[in-house]
mmCIF file of all heavy atoms in Angstrom:
data_model
loop_
_atom_site.group_PDB
_atom_site.id
_atom_site.type_symbol
_atom_site.label_atom_id
_atom_site.label_comp_id
_atom_site.label_asym_id
_atom_site.label_seq_id
_atom_site.Cartn_x
_atom_site.Cartn_y
_atom_site.Cartn_z
ATOM 1 N N THR I 438 -59.191 31.223 14.028
ATOM 2 C CA THR I 438 -57.929 30.537 13.720
ATOM 3 C C THR I 438 -56.925 31.572 13.225
ATOM 4 O O THR I 438 -56.642 31.668 12.027
ATOM 5 C CB THR I 438 -58.133 29.444 12.653
ATOM 6 O OG1 THR I 438 -59.246 28.624 13.033
ATOM 7 C CG2 THR I 438 -56.895 28.563 12.528
ATOM 8 N N PRO I 439 -56.375 32.380 14.129
ATOM 9 C CA PRO I 439 -55.491 33.469 13.704
ATOM 10 C C PRO I 439 -54.136 33.002 13.200
ATOM 11 O O PRO I 439 -53.432 33.759 12.520
ATOM 12 C CB PRO I 439 -55.334 34.303 14.984
ATOM 13 C CG PRO I 439 -55.541 33.312 16.092
ATOM 14 C CD PRO I 439 -56.577 32.352 15.592
ATOM 15 N N ASP I 440 -53.763 31.754 13.518
ATOM 16 C CA ASP I 440 -52.439 31.266 13.140
ATOM 17 C C ASP I 440 -52.525 30.226 12.027
ATOM 18 O O ASP I 440 -51.705 29.309 11.962
ATOM 19 C CB ASP I 440 -51.720 30.677 14.349
ATOM 20 C CG ASP I 440 -52.530 29.565 15.022
ATOM 21 O OD1 ASP I 440 -53.719 29.397 14.672
ATOM 22 O OD2 ASP I 440 -51.964 28.875 15.894
ATOM 23 N N ILE I 441 -53.505 30.351 11.139
ATOM 24 C CA ILE I 441 -53.616 29.391 10.038
ATOM 25 C C ILE I 441 -52.301 29.373 9.262
ATOM 26 O O ILE I 441 -51.707 30.423 8.984
ATOM 27 C CB ILE I 441 -54.809 29.743 9.120
ATOM 28 C CG1 ILE I 441 -55.130 28.603 8.157
ATOM 29 C CG2 ILE I 441 -54.562 31.032 8.328
ATOM 30 C CD1 ILE I 441 -55.804 27.428 8.784
ATOM 31 N N TRP I 442 -51.843 28.163 8.934
ATOM 32 C CA TRP I 442 -50.540 28.014 8.269
ATOM 33 C C TRP I 442 -50.748 27.620 6.817
ATOM 34 O O TRP I 442 -51.607 26.804 6.497
ATOM 35 C CB TRP I 442 -49.716 26.940 8.996
ATOM 36 C CG TRP I 442 -48.443 26.596 8.277
ATOM 37 C CD1 TRP I 442 -47.349 27.394 8.099
ATOM 38 C CD2 TRP I 442 -48.136 25.358 7.625
ATOM 39 N NE1 TRP I 442 -46.390 26.730 7.384
ATOM 40 C CE2 TRP I 442 -46.844 25.471 7.080
ATOM 41 C CE3 TRP I 442 -48.833 24.156 7.450
ATOM 42 C CZ2 TRP I 442 -46.227 24.448 6.376
ATOM 43 C CZ3 TRP I 442 -48.225 23.132 6.745
ATOM 44 C CH2 TRP I 442 -46.943 23.278 6.224
ATOM 45 N N TRP I 443 -49.961 28.229 5.940
ATOM 46 C CA TRP I 443 -50.026 27.964 4.507
ATOM 47 C C TRP I 443 -48.828 27.133 4.059
ATOM 48 O O TRP I 443 -47.682 27.487 4.341
ATOM 49 C CB TRP I 443 -50.010 29.266 3.707
ATOM 50 C CG TRP I 443 -51.252 30.085 3.793
ATOM 51 C CD1 TRP I 443 -51.609 30.936 4.804
ATOM 52 C CD2 TRP I 443 -52.296 30.151 2.815
ATOM 53 N NE1 TRP I 443 -52.810 31.525 4.521
ATOM 54 C CE2 TRP I 443 -53.256 31.079 3.305
ATOM 55 C CE3 TRP I 443 -52.512 29.542 1.581
ATOM 56 C CZ2 TRP I 443 -54.419 31.390 2.588
ATOM 57 C CZ3 TRP I 443 -53.663 29.858 0.874
ATOM 58 C CH2 TRP I 443 -54.602 30.769 1.374
ATOM 59 N N SER I 444 -49.102 26.062 3.336
ATOM 60 C CA SER I 444 -48.042 25.306 2.666
ATOM 61 C C SER I 444 -48.192 25.551 1.164
ATOM 62 O O SER I 444 -48.796 24.761 0.446
ATOM 63 C CB SER I 444 -48.156 23.806 2.975
ATOM 64 O OG SER I 444 -47.125 23.086 2.323
ATOM 65 N N ASN I 445 -47.679 26.692 0.722
ATOM 66 C CA ASN I 445 -47.718 27.018 -0.697
ATOM 67 C C ASN I 445 -46.580 26.275 -1.394
ATOM 68 O O ASN I 445 -45.424 26.370 -0.973
ATOM 69 C CB ASN I 445 -47.558 28.520 -0.909
ATOM 70 C CG ASN I 445 -48.655 29.314 -0.232
ATOM 71 O OD1 ASN I 445 -49.762 28.816 -0.057
ATOM 72 N ND2 ASN I 445 -48.353 30.541 0.176
ATOM 73 N N ILE I 446 -46.908 25.546 -2.444
ATOM 74 C CA ILE I 446 -45.906 24.713 -3.088
ATOM 75 C C ILE I 446 -45.814 25.030 -4.570
ATOM 76 O O ILE I 446 -46.742 25.568 -5.179
ATOM 77 C CB ILE I 446 -46.204 23.210 -2.902
ATOM 78 C CG1 ILE I 446 -47.507 22.813 -3.613
ATOM 79 C CG2 ILE I 446 -46.241 22.845 -1.428
ATOM 80 C CD1 ILE I 446 -47.735 21.316 -3.672
ATOM 81 N N SER I 447 -44.676 24.680 -5.158
ATOM 82 C CA SER I 447 -44.480 24.793 -6.603
ATOM 83 C C SER I 447 -43.648 23.613 -7.055
ATOM 84 O O SER I 447 -42.560 23.364 -6.544
ATOM 85 C CB SER I 447 -43.768 26.105 -6.954
ATOM 86 O OG SER I 447 -43.563 26.183 -8.353
ATOM 87 N N GLY I 448 -44.191 22.866 -7.979
ATOM 88 C CA GLY I 448 -43.476 21.705 -8.510
ATOM 89 C C GLY I 448 -44.022 21.382 -9.865
ATOM 90 O O GLY I 448 -44.105 22.250 -10.721
ATOM 91 N N GLY I 449 -44.462 20.133 -10.053
ATOM 92 C CA GLY I 449 -45.038 19.862 -11.349
ATOM 93 C C GLY I 449 -45.326 18.423 -11.643
ATOM 94 O O GLY I 449 -44.858 17.495 -10.971
ATOM 95 N N THR I 450 -46.135 18.271 -12.687
ATOM 96 C CA THR I 450 -46.426 16.968 -13.257
ATOM 97 C C THR I 450 -45.141 16.253 -13.649
ATOM 98 O O THR I 450 -45.026 15.034 -13.512
ATOM 99 C CB THR I 450 -47.327 17.147 -14.500
ATOM 100 O OG1 THR I 450 -48.534 17.776 -14.109
ATOM 101 C CG2 THR I 450 -47.617 15.824 -15.176
ATOM 102 N N ASP I 451 -44.181 17.034 -14.126
ATOM 103 C CA ASP I 451 -42.982 16.454 -14.714
ATOM 104 C C ASP I 451 -42.261 15.499 -13.768
ATOM 105 O O ASP I 451 -41.748 14.466 -14.211
ATOM 106 C CB ASP I 451 -42.030 17.578 -15.138
ATOM 107 C CG ASP I 451 -42.733 18.641 -15.961
ATOM 108 O OD1 ASP I 451 -43.453 19.470 -15.365
ATOM 109 O OD2 ASP I 451 -42.585 18.647 -17.177
ATOM 110 N N PHE I 452 -42.185 15.836 -12.489
ATOM 111 C CA PHE I 452 -41.473 14.946 -11.571
ATOM 112 C C PHE I 452 -42.336 14.557 -10.372
ATOM 113 O O PHE I 452 -41.818 14.050 -9.367
ATOM 114 C CB PHE I 452 -40.140 15.559 -11.114
ATOM 115 C CG PHE I 452 -40.270 16.769 -10.235
ATOM 116 C CD1 PHE I 452 -39.990 16.686 -8.880
ATOM 117 C CD2 PHE I 452 -40.661 17.987 -10.753
ATOM 118 C CE1 PHE I 452 -40.113 17.796 -8.058
ATOM 119 C CE2 PHE I 452 -40.780 19.104 -9.947
ATOM 120 C CZ PHE I 452 -40.505 19.010 -8.598
ATOM 121 N N ALA I 453 -43.639 14.757 -10.474
ATOM 122 C CA ALA I 453 -44.585 14.308 -9.444
ATOM 123 C C ALA I 453 -44.133 14.727 -8.052
ATOM 124 O O ALA I 453 -44.194 13.946 -7.104
ATOM 125 C CB ALA I 453 -44.763 12.796 -9.512
ATOM 126 N N GLY I 454 -43.699 15.944 -7.942
ATOM 127 C CA GLY I 454 -43.220 16.421 -6.654
ATOM 128 C C GLY I 454 -43.223 17.931 -6.608
ATOM 129 O O GLY I 454 -43.895 18.595 -7.400
ATOM 130 N N ALA I 455 -42.479 18.487 -5.671
ATOM 131 C CA ALA I 455 -42.400 19.932 -5.508
ATOM 132 C C ALA I 455 -40.951 20.342 -5.290
ATOM 133 O O ALA I 455 -40.171 19.615 -4.674
ATOM 134 C CB ALA I 455 -43.265 20.391 -4.337
ATOM 135 N N PHE I 456 -40.603 21.489 -5.820
ATOM 136 C CA PHE I 456 -39.290 22.076 -5.592
ATOM 137 C C PHE I 456 -39.323 23.048 -4.407
ATOM 138 O O PHE I 456 -38.357 23.169 -3.663
ATOM 139 C CB PHE I 456 -38.827 22.849 -6.828
ATOM 140 C CG PHE I 456 -38.369 21.986 -7.973
ATOM 141 C CD1 PHE I 456 -38.788 22.244 -9.270
ATOM 142 C CD2 PHE I 456 -37.499 20.923 -7.768
ATOM 143 C CE1 PHE I 456 -38.359 21.469 -10.333
ATOM 144 C CE2 PHE I 456 -37.061 20.138 -8.822
ATOM 145 C CZ PHE I 456 -37.490 20.414 -10.110
ATOM 146 N N LEU I 457 -40.427 23.757 -4.274
ATOM 147 C CA LEU I 457 -40.566 24.797 -3.258
ATOM 148 C C LEU I 457 -41.809 24.509 -2.439
ATOM 149 O O LEU I 457 -42.793 23.984 -2.964
ATOM 150 C CB LEU I 457 -40.709 26.174 -3.923
ATOM 151 C CG LEU I 457 -39.712 26.508 -5.034
ATOM 152 C CD1 LEU I 457 -40.090 27.812 -5.716
ATOM 153 C CD2 LEU I 457 -38.295 26.577 -4.486
ATOM 154 N N GLY I 458 -41.775 24.843 -1.160
ATOM 155 C CA GLY I 458 -42.940 24.518 -0.346
ATOM 156 C C GLY I 458 -42.918 25.154 1.020
ATOM 157 O O GLY I 458 -42.310 26.203 1.229
ATOM 158 N N GLY I 459 -43.596 24.481 1.960
ATOM 159 C CA GLY I 459 -43.787 25.037 3.289
ATOM 160 C C GLY I 459 -42.970 24.332 4.348
ATOM 161 O O GLY I 459 -42.457 23.222 4.155
ATOM 162 N N ASN I 460 -42.840 24.982 5.477
ATOM 163 C CA ASN I 460 -42.169 24.429 6.649
ATOM 164 C C ASN I 460 -42.791 25.108 7.867
ATOM 165 O O ASN I 460 -42.606 26.307 8.076
ATOM 166 C CB ASN I 460 -40.666 24.700 6.591
ATOM 167 C CG ASN I 460 -39.926 24.211 7.826
ATOM 168 O OD1 ASN I 460 -40.530 23.753 8.795
ATOM 169 N ND2 ASN I 460 -38.608 24.318 7.809
ATOM 170 N N ARG I 461 -43.542 24.349 8.648
ATOM 171 C CA ARG I 461 -44.306 24.946 9.748
ATOM 172 C C ARG I 461 -43.421 25.542 10.831
ATOM 173 O O ARG I 461 -43.897 26.303 11.684
ATOM 174 C CB ARG I 461 -45.263 23.900 10.346
ATOM 175 C CG ARG I 461 -46.369 24.532 11.194
ATOM 176 C CD ARG I 461 -47.593 23.625 11.309
ATOM 177 N NE ARG I 461 -47.369 22.429 12.077
ATOM 178 C CZ ARG I 461 -47.500 22.351 13.402
ATOM 179 N NH1 ARG I 461 -47.842 23.420 14.102
ATOM 180 N NH2 ARG I 461 -47.326 21.211 14.020
#
Side-chain angles (χ1 to χ4, degrees):
T438 311
D440 56 349
I441 192 74
W442 172 68
W443 289 81
S444 180
N445 300 332
I446 65 170
S447 179
T450 300
D451 310 77
F452 68 107
F456 285 134
L457 313 172
N460 177 354
R461 197 157 68 87

